[in-house]
Amino acid sequence: MRLFLVKEQGEPRWVAALANENMYGYVANTGKFHDNYALRNDYYMERDFTYEEIGPAEARRLIDGGLGRFDESEDDDVLALWRDDPRPLDPADVLSIVAGFDR
């Protein structure tokens, strides 16, 4: 598993985790990482965003700082989908897995 800071036009937008060709984006509103097919497609094909590999400590700092927060009114449809996600990933688990790979 690898962690990335995802930027759009130079602005930080996501903390993302790549695992087995699946890309998970951290959503501050839910406090979880969610499978994000659009981010996966962008990473592998489109490259509209930039991806800076980061470690678990930096990911924790960004998560604690609120990166990945969406507007509750404007983004209510996608937030409802993420809130109903049956298999979100807990940030502590993701960061622990990555830290284990850094040994």
Side-chain angles (χ1 to χ4, degrees), residues 12-15 25-32 62-72 75 78-79 82-83:
R13 297 290 182 215
W14 296 87
V15 173
Y26 177 76
V27 178
N29 307 66
T30 66
K32 304 285 184 182
L62 293 165
I63 287 169
D64 289 347
L67 187 63
R69 180 156 308 281
F70 288 79
D71 184 278
E72 291 286 342
D75 302 309
V78 71
L79 285 169
W82 285 325
R83 287 188 174 109

Side-chain angles (χ1 to χ4, degrees), residues 6-20:
V6 182
K7 296 180 181 180
E8 181 180 24
Q9 298 178 350
E11 292 296 317
R13 297 290 182 215
W14 296 87
V15 173
L18 180 64
N20 300 320

Side-chain angles (χ1 to χ4, degrees), residues 3 54-63 94-96 98-100 102:
L3 292 170
I54 59 175
E58 178 66 5
R60 172 54 64 197
R61 186 186 72 73
L62 293 165
I63 287 169
V94 170
L95 300 179
S96 293
V98 174
D102 285 345

Side-chain angles (χ1 to χ4, degrees), residues 18-91:
L18 180 64
N20 300 320
E21 296 188 12
N22 289 349
M23 184 69 80
Y24 298 85
Y26 177 76
V27 178
N29 307 66
T30 66
K32 304 285 184 182
F33 280 88
H34 299 277
D35 197 354
N36 189 314
Y37 196 69
L39 272 181
R40 179 202 177 279
N41 283 348
D42 186 74
Y43 180 78
Y44 284 110
M45 295 179 280
E46 297 164 8
R47 288 297 181 148
D48 291 327
F49 300 134
T50 57
Y51 297 81
E52 176 185 322
E53 194 158 0
I54 59 175
E58 178 66 5
R60 172 54 64 197
R61 186 186 72 73
L62 293 165
I63 287 169
D64 289 347
L67 187 63
R69 180 156 308 281
F70 288 79
D71 184 278
E72 291 286 342
S73 297
E74 289 181 24
D75 302 309
D76 59 332
D77 290 341
V78 71
L79 285 169
L81 292 173
W82 285 325
R83 287 188 174 109
D84 290 339
D85 183 353
R87 293 185 312 247
L89 302 179
D90 188 271

